[in-house]
Amino acid sequence: MNGDDFKKYIGENIAKIRKFRGYSQEYMSEAIDIAPNSYGRIERGQNFPSAESFAKIIDTLKIKPADLFNFPNEESDEKIKKEIYRKLKIVEKDREKMINIWFYINSII
């Protein structure tokens, strides 16, 4: 993976989580105190946030830093499906987690 791919994946993950939370780009740019066009370039992978902005993004999205580093990989489709089903079985009795999963799935489909 090169630097451009890295910025792209980080930006895509930020955008996905932002949309899941129901936040606009304008809200995020205000929350982290940068210009809206600068924030848009982060989500498009054209720029990488400063350490301060990165910390504010993580705080605003209410996530762990590791959540932004979940990149696509070369795993087989079958292995990915099995892992999804396994994780769903773990949380199936936790209504709050199931609702969060449902909201997230609906936000990306």
Side-chain angles (χ1 to χ4, degrees):
M1 174 182 306
N2 63 36
D4 288 337
D5 288 340
F6 182 77
K7 289 189 297 187
K8 178 182 158 219
Y9 292 135
I10 293 290
E12 287 174 354
N13 286 346
I14 290 170
K16 285 177 188 175
I17 297 167
R18 172 187 60 80
K19 291 174 186 176
F20 171 71
R21 295 276 188 246
Y23 299 156
S24 66
Q25 285 188 336
E26 292 78 18
Y27 172 82
M28 289 297 297
S29 67
E30 287 178 20
I32 64 172
D33 198 29
I34 63 172
N37 60 344
S38 295
Y39 180 80
R41 286 194 296 271
I42 290 170
E43 282 196 2
R44 290 189 300 277
Q46 296 167 332
N47 287 350
F48 195 78
S50 68
E52 182 180 339
S53 293
F54 195 75
K56 288 179 181 179
I57 289 169
I58 289 165
D59 287 342
T60 302
L61 294 175
K62 301 172 188 83
I63 59 174
K64 299 177 293 235
D67 295 336
L68 295 178
F69 295 94
N70 190 12
F71 300 141
N73 57 41
E74 302 294 322
E75 299 294 330
S76 72
D77 289 346
E78 194 59 37
K79 186 173 181 181
I80 292 169
K81 287 178 195 174
K82 285 180 182 177
E83 184 65 13
I84 290 170
Y85 291 132
R86 186 186 71 76
K87 289 183 179 185
L88 285 173
K89 287 298 263 181
I90 292 170
V91 300
E92 72 182 347
K93 291 187 169 89
D94 186 330
R95 181 168 169 66
E96 184 178 341
K97 286 182 182 177
M98 290 298 288
I99 289 170
N100 286 335
I101 292 168
W102 179 76
F103 279 126
Y104 181 71
I105 289 171
N106 283 330
S107 74
I108 60 173
I109 296 178

